[in-house]
Amino acid sequence: MRPGEERPVEGGACAAVFEVELLKLRAAECIDEAAERLGALSRAIWSEPELAYEEHHAHDVLTRFFQSERPAASWVVQPHYQLVTAFRAEWGPPRGWAAPSPLHLGFLCEYDALPGIGHACGHNLIAEVGAAAALGVKGALESLPGPPLPVKVIVLGTPAEEDGGGKIDLIEAGAFKNLDVVFMAHPSQENAAYLPDVAEHDVTVKYYGKASHAAAYPWEGLNALDAAVLAYSNLSVLRQQMKPTWRVHGIIKNGGVKPNIIPSYSELIYYFRAPSMKELPVLTKKAEDCFRAAALATGCTVEIEGGAHDYYNVLPNKSLWKAYIENGKKLGIDFISEDAMLNGPSGSTDFGNVTFVVPGIHPYFYIGSNALNHTEQYTEAAGSQEAQFYTLRTAKALAMTALDVIFKPELLERIREDFKLKLQEEEFLNTVE
């Protein structure tokens, strides 16, 4: 059975559908067979949390995982792929095998942690899901008789989601070129095929004033802390005129060194979020006006430095998420309603940038705990044995959906059409082609 073909046997299309379902069962079996190794992979990452761009242990654990796959040399592994802590593992037809242009399916792994509280966003489980789903698809395709299929399974290790945007670095380096569809899944408190993760821009704001003795001659100073406090207050007042879907949040990172010295320097870090890249500049302009107004009021000078990358909003791909829901329900996954999905709370992710260059799915999954992400309680849940059942079940649903993409050409065509339509809505089509 070839990608997109129906084998001419008795029963016609029904027989072809039946064969795809058998392949899905095989994918699930392969994931179950590797469950112990996958759990050990996740625990190894969870037990040694590392910050963005510093995930050396996680990188090594993951690359060794694919390098040790049996039979030997199943995966072609490229450690330190484009970034020091990124990697690429590829399985597919052997080199030199004459085949039409293969279908490239990407499975993404995240593995950076949060400062102070470790894997409180469960990125160890994201890495496990990506690896497990890729193993499932590989195992199912290997079970087919005949010559290899023109399909490549590619696993990308994508560091620095929490800070910096490793996927954006990889996009700029060309790592996502030629991928047809990408898959990953994120731990949460519920099962949702999609959540409207929003666009995000971060800034560092620096105020420069003039030091002076705060008691003897304060009039000689220019108070940079006052500028920071005014900026904070300006943004608080701005909230009255902000759209309900906008978010502004920040901290004062530096406010002086001693109470009797007028602070000559202060620093703030702020994140701005909006539902789309079209709205984000509007919010950013309003916020930056607040920062500049505080400088004017205090006589300080101000520098506003944008982050290295903006995180784009995640583009929904309804055809892809419907296929995922259909497969997930077969495994007993209970999804929230579409209304709850589209109107639920969300954050931001550099996977959003990926969805502007290749069709993709980024579902959320329950891990057996009601703890909230970015808390110590979620760190504990992400490392628990209970989370393993839900993580591997999600990996099976992703693998099954990938098999649908391989063997149902009409689905792949709808996925591509959804992708183009969403780009047109975002007015980004000319940017990415």
Side-chain angles (χ1 to χ4, degrees):
M1 187 173 181
R2 318 307 296 170
E5 292 182 351
E6 294 179 2
R7 183 174 289 170
V9 297
E10 187 177 351
C14 291
V17 170
F18 178 69
E19 288 195 41
V20 174
E21 295 305 310
L22 288 178
L23 286 176
K24 291 178 182 179
L25 289 175
R26 180 58 192 145
E29 289 172 356
C30 291
I31 291 171
D32 285 335
E33 290 165 4
E36 187 174 339
R37 291 178 59 235
L38 289 162
L41 170 75
S42 178
R43 286 190 296 275
I45 296 171
W46 180 86
S47 64
E48 294 190 31
E50 299 164 300
L51 300 182
Y53 297 111
E54 299 175 5
E55 315 94 326
H56 303 286
H57 169 71
H59 167 275
D60 293 347
V61 167
L62 281 156
T63 53
R64 285 196 302 269
F65 178 87
F66 286 100
Q67 288 167 339
S68 63
E69 263 283 283
R70 293 293 180 265
S74 292
W75 296 89
V76 176
V77 180
Q78 295 176 257
H80 315 299
Y81 178 69
Q82 307 294 348
L83 300 171
V84 172
T85 55
F87 72 91
R88 188 181 195 270
E90 179 183 312
W91 173 88
R95 288 184 180 180
W97 184 69
S101 179
L103 186 67
H104 293 74
L105 301 182
F107 296 86
L108 309 188
C109 298
E110 292 177 9
Y111 34 87
D112 61 325
L114 289 158
I117 53 177
H119 280 287
C121 210
H123 288 194
N124 60 301
L125 301 178
I126 297 176
E128 183 180 3
V129 165
L135 291 189
V137 174
K138 168 183 173 287
L141 297 181
E142 284 180 332
S143 71
L144 287 169
L149 291 180
V151 176
K152 289 189 177 182
V153 178
I154 295 155
V155 182
L156 286 178
T158 61
E161 189 277 336
E162 293 289 356
D163 185 18
K167 294 183 190 65
I168 308 169
D169 294 324
L170 290 170
I171 289 170
E172 293 175 349
F176 287 87
K177 281 186 177 179
N178 301 321
L179 292 185
D180 291 287
V181 184
V182 293
F183 303 82
M184 68 168 285
H186 196 297
S188 183
Q189 299 77 46
E190 58 206 0
N191 294 299
Y194 167 81
L195 286 178
D197 287 298
V198 297
E200 185 267 336
H201 173 73
D202 62 84
V203 295
T204 299
V205 182
K206 300 177 180 180
Y207 289 106
Y208 297 92
K210 180 183 175 184
S212 183
H213 196 293
Y217 27 84
W219 53 86
E220 294 290 338
L222 296 173
N223 196 317
L225 177 58
D226 282 351
V229 171
L230 282 176
Y232 194 97
S233 298
N234 288 345
L235 287 164
S236 295
V237 173
L238 175 65
R239 294 180 195 280
Q240 298 177 80
Q241 274 67 54
M242 280 171 45
K243 292 183 178 181
T245 52
W246 290 356
R247 295 289 184 272
V248 170
H249 40 100
I251 60 169
I252 299 177
K253 186 178 179 182
N254 188 315
V257 293
K258 203 169 186 292
N260 64 348
I261 304 173
I262 297 291
S264 61
Y265 177 76
S266 67
E267 183 177 327
L268 305 93
I269 300 176
Y270 263 87
Y271 290 178
F272 311 135
R273 304 182 198 252
S276 72
M277 286 302 295
K278 290 187 291 186
E279 285 188 59
L280 188 59
V282 179
L283 173 58
T284 298
K285 170 65 165 56
K286 291 177 180 292
E288 290 184 351
D289 285 347
C290 290
F291 295 136
R292 292 189 177 93
L296 180 64
T298 57
C300 295
T301 58
V302 62
E303 291 180 1
I304 303 173
E305 301 175 355
H309 300 301
D310 287 346
Y311 283 18
Y312 292 4
N313 49 298
V314 173
L315 297 183
N317 194 295
K318 200 163 188 177
S319 296
L320 196 48
W321 95 44
K322 282 187 172 181
Y324 175 76
I325 289 174
E326 182 180 336
N327 286 303
K329 285 182 176 179
K330 293 174 185 175
L331 297 168
I333 298 178
D334 184 20
F335 292 96
I336 62 174
S337 68
E338 186 169 326
D339 181 67
M341 185 171 74
L342 295 175
N343 295 290
S346 60
S348 304
T349 169
D350 57 358
F351 186 83
N353 301 62
V354 175
T355 65
F356 278 73
V357 297
V358 58
I361 186 169
H362 182 272
Y364 285 82
F365 64 98
Y366 174 72
I367 64 169
S369 171
N370 292 323
L372 299 176
N373 295 64
H374 291 213
T375 65
E376 293 175 350
Q377 293 76 22
Y378 208 83
T379 302
E380 182 179 351
S384 70
Q385 183 59 37
E386 185 178 6
Q388 286 301 296
F389 167 79
Y390 301 102
T391 300
L392 295 183
R393 183 174 66 169
T394 299
K396 293 172 186 176
L398 281 183
M400 292 162 68
T401 305
L403 289 168
D404 281 333
V405 171
I406 294 169
F407 291 104
K408 297 178 180 178
E410 71 284 356
L411 173 60
L412 181 57
E413 185 58 36
R414 290 199 303 271
I415 289 168
R416 288 170 170 165
E417 188 59 32
D418 286 354
F419 172 65
K420 289 181 179 180
L421 288 173
K422 286 300 174 183
L423 284 181
Q424 288 171 343
E425 290 177 13
E426 294 284 337
E427 300 173 1
F428 263 69
L429 188 58
N430 292 333
T431 303
V432 299
E433 285 193 338

